[in-house]
Amino acid sequence: MISSAKALMEQLLDYAGLFPPAALPLEQAIRNYAAYRDGQDTWMLGRFIIPAVQLEELTPYMPMFSGDRPLMLSVLGTRSRDAEECLRLFGDTLRQTEAFRGKHGSSVNIDVLELPLPPAGADRRLLDEMAAGASEHGLRLFFEWTFPLNGEWGSRIEEGLDAVKYCASQGGMQPGVKLRTGGVTSDAFPSPEQVAAVLVGCRDRQLALKFTAGLHHPVRMYREEVKTEMHGFLNVFVAGMLAHVYKLGRDKTAEILADKDPDSFVFLPDALGWRTLTLSTNEARRLRNQALCSYGSCSFDEPRDELRELKSIE
């Protein structure tokens, strides 16, 4: 794989084998992760994603990891119905995380917390308190909104992004945003315009992004199993990078997200991009580190293998 593709793919894939559609048992998922870690493509592998309530279930498998090769975890908080329940469950998550850290020491590295917010959305007091709590525990926090993709979504997501930016300015570790880009049914997939709104909105507010669900394939395509078009991870990450470098608006960003032609995506030894818009390998690496962090996938093999099949990066 050429250098620009490596800059894109390095630690890109957070393994979410516990979650649909794979929904593997914990033993199989953690053994898969250990095998990927020991394989030749370990450089593409990010963290193992696990709900906080299942952390203790990992204990029997911890001998597979050590201080030299720790288990890298992203912990997922529990969904809640309202702000009060969200804060209570957040406290439980912090306690479960600290207990697991204390039990296994240097054999585990937990540095990311993904937190679904209640359906009501952004409560600045709530976000401030949780951002401070995560920072105190050395956790990089990514907030996820759970309100529906309906006609009010646009105004609500703008309010939400503003709330994250506000709490990020209060000191401590800056929170980021987690965007769900699909699911197991067609109504779980945001449109290219909606994804573009988040990419551009986070760029303008200097908020980091990670993604989850629906990004099994490199390039956007129709899939019968969900009866809709699924986003491609090349579309999402290349669009996000180019939006940063060229200050693209929502319309152009959405055009990149909607492109279903693999030949539109360019990989050169020292650059990557879409059609005539390119950015350097060094810029891609910087943006991956700072702005477009990773995505969760219940498959490691599928996105890796399909990317290798594209002639443009052989």
Side-chain angles (χ1 to χ4, degrees):
M1 198 171 287
I2 62 176
S3 59
S4 61
K6 286 184 176 179
L8 172 71
M9 294 296 294
E10 189 168 8
Q11 294 184 313
L12 182 72
L13 293 162
D14 289 336
Y15 184 54
L18 294 173
F19 300 89
L24 299 176
L26 178 61
E27 179 173 3
Q28 185 177 349
I30 194 62
R31 291 192 183 279
N32 284 351
Y33 182 81
Y36 298 141
R37 179 204 60 177
D38 295 337
Q40 65 176 0
D41 295 320
T42 183
W43 60 274
M44 299 185 196
L45 185 65
R47 296 164 180 83
F48 185 81
I49 302 177
I50 186 165
V53 294
Q54 288 187 263
L55 276 171
E56 182 53 35
E57 297 174 35
L58 283 171
T59 293
Y61 310 105
M62 290 307 296
M64 294 189 293
F65 305 94
S66 66
D68 292 331
R69 304 193 75 184
L71 173 58
M72 307 291 293
L73 293 180
S74 182
V75 171
L76 179 62
T78 305
R79 286 181 179 262
S80 56
R81 293 164 294 186
D82 54 42
E84 182 179 354
E85 183 181 42
C86 184
L87 195 59
R88 177 175 59 79
L89 292 173
F90 175 73
D92 293 342
T93 293
L94 292 181
R95 286 188 287 274
Q96 289 157 343
T97 299
E98 283 305 315
F100 195 74
R101 280 171 163 172
K103 187 172 185 177
H104 298 289
S106 62
S107 293
V108 64
N109 184 345
I110 306 175
D111 61 348
V112 173
L113 173 59
E114 306 174 22
L115 189 67
L117 294 170
D123 178 323
R124 287 189 172 181
R125 178 196 60 80
L126 176 67
L127 267 59
D128 286 351
E129 191 164 345
M130 293 190 296
S135 186
E136 288 173 7
H137 287 79
L139 294 165
R140 188 176 191 184
L141 182 59
F142 288 84
F143 290 118
E144 176 191 350
W145 284 273
T146 60
F147 44 75
L149 299 167
N150 58 22
E152 298 179 355
W153 183 90
S155 59
R156 297 187 72 184
I157 201 70
E158 289 294 319
E159 178 188 358
L161 296 178
D162 283 342
V164 177
K165 180 61 178 177
Y166 175 82
C167 76
S169 68
Q170 302 306 300
M173 197 176 301
Q174 178 171 304
V177 172
K178 176 183 173 183
L179 177 63
R180 187 165 295 274
T181 45
V184 295
T185 57
S186 61
D187 59 356
F189 288 78
S191 68
E193 291 75 18
Q194 287 173 316
V195 176
V198 177
L199 287 172
V200 171
C202 285
R203 177 203 65 195
D204 291 345
R205 296 168 177 83
Q206 297 182 305
L207 298 174
L209 259 170
K210 78 183 306 288
F211 305 88
T212 190
L215 296 179
H216 287 207
H217 310 288
V219 178
R220 184 173 176 83
M221 64 171 67
Y222 181 86
R223 299 291 296 188
E224 183 62 32
E225 66 266 29
V226 289
K227 294 181 169 51
T228 193
E229 290 180 344
M230 297 180 73
H231 293 286
F233 63 83
L234 284 186
N235 300 72
V236 169
F237 282 87
V238 172
M241 291 177 182
L242 293 174
H244 275 267
V245 172
Y246 291 94
K247 308 302 181 189
L248 302 181
R250 292 185 184 184
D251 289 347
K252 193 66 175 180
T253 304
E255 183 182 351
I256 302 171
L257 289 164
D259 195 338
K260 293 185 282 187
D261 183 1
D263 291 337
S264 295
F265 297 91
V266 180
F267 290 91
L268 304 171
D270 59 354
L272 62 88
W274 176 79
R275 298 184 184 174
T276 60
L277 300 178
T278 62
L279 68 154
S280 72
T281 296
N282 287 338
E283 286 175 314
R285 190 173 290 112
R286 177 183 65 81
L287 288 167
R288 276 289 327 285
N289 289 335
Q290 297 177 4
L292 298 152
C293 300
S294 64
Y295 77 93
S297 172
C298 69
S299 173
F300 182 74
D301 296 326
E302 193 171 31
R304 175 196 60 184
D305 295 346
E306 288 192 20
L307 182 63
R308 282 206 163 109
E309 289 173 5
L310 294 181
K311 293 180 181 180
S312 58
I313 63 165
E314 287 177 351

